[in-house]
Amino acid sequence: MIDYRQLQAFATVLECQSFDKAAQRLHLTQSAVSQRVKQLEERIGQLLIVRSQPLHPTPAGQQLLRHFHQIKLLQSELLDGLGDAYEQGFTRLSIGLNADSLETWFMEAIDPLLQQSPLLLDLRVDDQDQTHHFLRQGEVIGCISSSDQPIQGGSCVALGLTRYRALISTEFRDRYFAKGVDTESLLRAPAVVFNQRDELQDRYLKTYFDFEGDYFRHLVPSSNAFVELIARGHGWGMVPDQQSQALLEQQRLVELIPGNCIDVPLYWHSWNLSTDTGRRLTEVMMAYCRAHLLPLSDTD
Amino acid sequence: MIDYRQLQAFATVLECQSFDKAAQRLHLTQSAVSQRVKQLEERIGQLLIVRSQPLHPTPAGQQLLRHFHQIKLLQSELLDGLGDAYEQGFTRLSIGLNADSLETWFMEAIDPLLQQSPLLLDLRVDDQDQTHHFLRQGEVIGCISSSDQPIQGGSCVALGLTRYRALISTEFRDRYFAKGVDTESLLRAPAVVFNQRDELQDRYLKTYFDFEGDYFRHLVPSSNAFVELIARGHGWGMVPDQQSQALLEQQRLVELIPGNCIDVPLYWHSWNLSTDTGRRLTEVMMAYCRAHLLPLSDTD
């Protein structure tokens, strides 16, 4: 049998990214926390935490972490059921998602769930192709991903499509595309890219210009600042329709080539846990996305 | 003499976080890129890149990287001066900064510089206490930091203060603080925190309630979604005045305790390089902040 105090110490160190802060949170000394993690490692017979910055779990550590989060969710529902809600306080809900979903629609989608239950959100952001690893490592109970491949022991449902258009300001159009948009003019004009993992601009160039390779790019890892840099006339970039609507109506932004867009499918992945919170989370996400995102069959 | 083709291969691998993508960008085969990095490591006599995800430079690698970025900036100015601007194209400007600065004022501040010169921004975001490491590792030529300690070989000038207030919705106030705000009621109410490194809420509790320890918290790593969660009535959190103005006027947000605030000083750190771009960057930042941020002497 695993000692759950050891498991909690281990999970808290990873969550806080520090033995010291974990000790503070657990009201223990730092050496007690180190001791518990070490005992757990001896019990399992493997190293569980790689002690370099950032602290991260080994493959064995990932399995334990996943187990711990599943146990916690089941336990908090048990206590809720026993009328122990006050003492228990809040249930932690760890979710992995992409920055654009978080910026544009996620808060509105999840609001009904927050209204009903005392929940604490723990949101982890990465590119939509990368959120899977949060789920695999057991850091989250569900994630929004562009992949439709369920992970082992998990389920996957379709949420809908996010449509991205290449947008520019009218000054930028006059400056770089006075004679029209072709590969040559486009490769002279700088793009705006969220970070090195953002491949939407690559996909646009590949889809509509059959171009693969390097191009001038700003790197701006903030959805707001990304759109602001475009609106100020310093680049072109892929913006989701949910974010651009008002700016397009005010003509602060225009489409690079009207009608050309890149659709990103979004899926909801979660562990196959029959917990109330997990089930309701999936329900509110699906209900919201059915009403507000484009249906997935549109791309067929 | 260092071989700059090797140095460029090394720096591009770290920038792209992949030997494969670096090869594509440099129009080389992947084995040529690996070869060059290896030759450079043999020349220096030390490992330069730690080959694990994410790829990161060793201490020796950091020094080389810093050198490379300094050379690149000097070179691009030389070419500009020689009238070679067209062929050279753009100058890359790597800057480290905190998410709130990027979301609220940075784009407006830097706009005059982008209007004048063909620049490509490469922005790296971290907490204002953490941006220093980008500069030390040679990944950026300047950073916005809350520290006033210049790093060796660098200079430091004051930008100004960002003022943060603890904000809530009126529903949240009625629900948790109907009988007033004290430590007890505050510890029942969930906070909103940007990520594990965001210590502004800790500082507020310490300053105004002499409380140190753990409390209920949502983790929401997006400035927009952070404020939205507060406005929807699910937590209290520290919001910079630049971001809250309109919401306070519309009474969608109110202050937890009117007048209580936390001031975060911001400093501009950069390498002591006498380059035109570096000098103008410092100038536009200082000019903007003098006009739009609170002066630092306000806290004295």
Side-chain angles (χ1 to χ4, degrees):
Chain A
M1 185 68 192
I2 292 170
D3 180 329
Y4 283 93
R5 290 177 321 156
Q6 293 171 4
L7 192 57
Q8 185 185 33
F10 158 73
T12 309
V13 166
L14 286 172
E15 197 183 327
C16 298
Q17 280 292 308
S18 147
F19 282 80
D20 205 28
K21 286 189 183 166
Q24 191 185 29
R25 176 168 306 180
L26 298 171
H27 306 290
L28 295 169
T29 63
Q30 197 193 314
S31 80
V33 171
S34 298
Q35 184 76 5
R36 288 185 187 183
V37 174
K38 216 159 157 233
Q39 284 165 347
L40 186 61
E41 289 180 324
E42 280 163 10
R43 165 78 182 71
I44 304 291
Q46 289 190 51
L47 196 71
L48 298 174
I49 297 181
V50 181
R51 269 83 163 176
S52 69
Q53 281 305 324
L55 295 171
H56 58 277
T58 62
Q62 288 171 21
Q63 288 180 48
L64 274 175
L65 202 57
R66 195 185 306 166
H67 174 73
F68 177 72
H69 285 295
Q70 292 172 347
I71 293 287
K72 254 180 52 177
L73 196 63
L74 288 167
Q75 194 182 83
S76 74
E77 294 197 345
L78 171 70
L79 293 172
D80 274 3
L82 295 172
D84 193 23
Y86 178 75
E87 201 175 291
Q88 176 64 16
F90 294 88
T91 302
R92 181 159 290 282
L93 206 58
S94 308
I95 297 169
L97 75 174
N98 58 322
D100 283 334
S101 291
L102 179 54
E103 287 279 328
T104 56
W105 60 266
F106 178 77
M107 282 295 163
E108 193 177 334
I110 202 143
D111 195 53
L113 197 60
L114 292 169
Q115 302 280 3
Q116 288 164 17
S117 326
L119 298 172
L120 293 177
L121 296 177
D122 180 356
L123 305 181
R124 312 285 173 107
V125 172
D126 208 332
D127 193 79
Q128 59 267 10
D129 305 328
Q130 312 284 337
T131 47
H132 248 159
H133 73 90
F134 293 128
L135 192 63
R136 239 185 246 114
Q137 299 192 354
E139 289 179 35
V140 300
I141 65 152
C143 73
I144 296 171
S145 162
S146 57
S147 162
D148 63 353
Q149 296 299 311
I151 68 169
Q152 213 191 337
S155 65
C156 167
V157 294
L159 290 176
L161 284 182
T162 310
R163 182 156 286 173
Y164 288 80
R165 293 171 205 274
L167 300 184
I168 52 176
S169 72
T170 49
E171 301 80 15
F172 193 77
R173 183 177 59 193
D174 297 343
R175 186 162 166 202
Y176 286 99
F177 305 114
K179 294 179 186 165
V181 183
D182 56 19
T183 312
E184 203 190 332
S185 58
L186 202 44
L187 290 181
R188 268 202 296 269
V192 190
V193 174
F194 193 80
N195 61 22
Q196 293 287 359
R197 285 200 287 255
D198 172 11
E199 295 180 346
L200 284 167
Q201 288 67 219
D202 295 351
R203 284 177 57 194
Y204 185 85
L205 291 173
K206 171 73 182 144
T207 306
Y208 295 108
F209 295 89
D210 198 26
F211 173 82
E212 281 181 284
D214 200 27
Y215 47 90
F216 296 128
R217 60 182 84 189
H218 299 280
L219 294 169
V220 182
S222 146
S223 299
N224 260 1
F226 185 103
V227 170
E228 192 178 342
L229 192 65
I230 297 171
R232 287 181 180 277
H234 301 304
W236 68 272
M238 305 301 296
V239 183
D241 279 0
Q242 286 98 329
Q243 202 181 357
S244 60
Q245 206 181 347
L247 292 161
L248 284 170
E249 281 167 12
Q250 299 158 21
Q251 301 228 318
R252 287 193 58 204
L253 293 178
V254 296
E255 287 189 70
L256 180 61
I257 301 173
N260 284 7
C261 53
I262 296 286
D263 288 336
V264 174
L266 296 177
Y267 297 87
W268 172 246
H269 293 259
S270 58
W271 292 109
N272 282 333
L273 277 176
S274 316
T275 67
D276 268 2
T277 308
R279 201 161 35 232
R280 277 187 298 145
L281 176 59
T282 301
E283 279 166 16
V284 299
M285 296 278 292
M286 287 186 72
Y288 181 87
C289 291
R290 208 176 297 123
H292 294 89
L293 299 191
L294 296 170
L296 263 163
S297 53
D298 262 23
T299 42
D300 294 342
Chain B
M1 186 71 193
I2 292 169
D3 180 330
Y4 283 93
R5 291 175 321 156
Q6 294 171 5
L7 192 57
Q8 185 185 33
F10 158 73
T12 309
V13 166
L14 287 173
E15 197 183 326
C16 298
Q17 280 292 309
S18 145
F19 281 79
D20 206 26
K21 287 189 182 165
Q24 192 185 26
R25 176 169 305 180
L26 297 172
H27 307 290
L28 294 169
T29 63
Q30 197 192 315
S31 80
V33 171
S34 298
Q35 184 76 4
R36 287 185 187 186
V37 174
K38 217 160 156 231
Q39 284 165 346
L40 186 62
E41 289 180 325
E42 281 164 9
R43 164 78 181 74
I44 303 292
Q46 290 191 52
L47 197 71
L48 298 174
I49 297 181
V50 181
R51 269 84 162 175
S52 70
Q53 283 303 326
L55 295 171
H56 59 277
T58 62
Q62 287 170 22
Q63 289 181 47
L64 274 175
L65 201 58
R66 194 186 306 166
H67 174 72
F68 177 72
H69 284 296
Q70 292 172 347
I71 293 288
K72 253 180 51 178
L73 196 64
L74 289 167
Q75 195 182 86
S76 73
E77 293 200 346
L78 171 70
L79 293 172
D80 274 4
L82 294 173
D84 193 23
Y86 178 75
E87 200 175 292
Q88 175 64 17
F90 295 88
T91 302
R92 181 159 291 282
L93 206 58
S94 309
I95 297 169
L97 74 175
N98 58 320
D100 283 334
S101 291
L102 180 54
E103 287 279 328
T104 56
W105 59 266
F106 179 77
M107 282 297 164
E108 193 177 335
I110 201 142
D111 195 52
L113 198 60
L114 292 169
Q115 302 280 4
Q116 288 164 17
S117 327
L119 297 172
L120 293 176
L121 297 177
D122 179 357
L123 305 181
R124 313 286 173 106
V125 172
D126 207 332
D127 194 79
Q128 60 267 11
D129 305 329
Q130 312 284 337
T131 47
H132 248 160
H133 73 90
F134 293 127
L135 193 62
R136 240 184 247 112
Q137 298 191 354
E139 290 179 34
V140 300
I141 66 151
C143 73
I144 296 171
S145 162
S146 57
S147 162
D148 63 354
Q149 296 300 309
I151 69 168
Q152 213 190 338
S155 65
C156 167
V157 293
L159 290 176
L161 284 182
T162 311
R163 182 157 286 171
Y164 289 79
R165 293 171 204 276
L167 300 184
I168 52 176
S169 72
T170 50
E171 302 79 14
F172 193 78
R173 184 178 57 194
D174 297 344
R175 185 160 166 204
Y176 286 99
F177 305 115
K179 293 179 185 165
V181 183
D182 55 20
T183 312
E184 203 190 333
S185 58
L186 202 44
L187 290 181
R188 268 202 297 267
V192 190
V193 173
F194 192 83
N195 60 22
Q196 294 287 359
R197 285 200 287 255
D198 172 11
E199 295 181 344
L200 283 168
Q201 287 67 220
D202 295 352
R203 284 177 57 193
Y204 185 85
L205 291 173
K206 171 71 182 147
T207 305
Y208 295 108
F209 296 89
D210 198 27
F211 172 82
E212 282 181 283
D214 200 26
Y215 47 92
F216 296 129
R217 59 182 84 189
H218 299 281
L219 294 170
V220 182
S222 146
S223 300
N224 259 1
F226 185 104
V227 170
E228 191 179 342
L229 192 65
I230 297 171
R232 287 181 180 277
H234 301 303
W236 69 273
M238 304 302 294
V239 182
D241 279 0
Q242 287 97 329
Q243 202 181 358
S244 60
Q245 205 181 347
L247 292 161
L248 285 169
E249 281 166 12
Q250 298 157 20
Q251 301 228 319
R252 286 194 57 204
L253 293 178
V254 296
E255 287 189 71
L256 180 61
I257 301 172
N260 284 7
C261 53
I262 296 286
D263 288 335
V264 174
L266 297 177
Y267 297 87
W268 173 246
H269 293 260
S270 58
W271 292 109
N272 282 332
L273 276 177
S274 315
T275 67
D276 269 2
T277 310
R279 203 164 31 233
R280 277 188 297 146
L281 175 59
T282 300
E283 278 167 17
V284 300
M285 296 279 290
M286 288 186 70
Y288 182 87
C289 292
R290 208 176 296 124
H292 295 88
L293 299 191
L294 297 171
L296 263 162
S297 53
D298 262 26
T299 42
D300 294 341

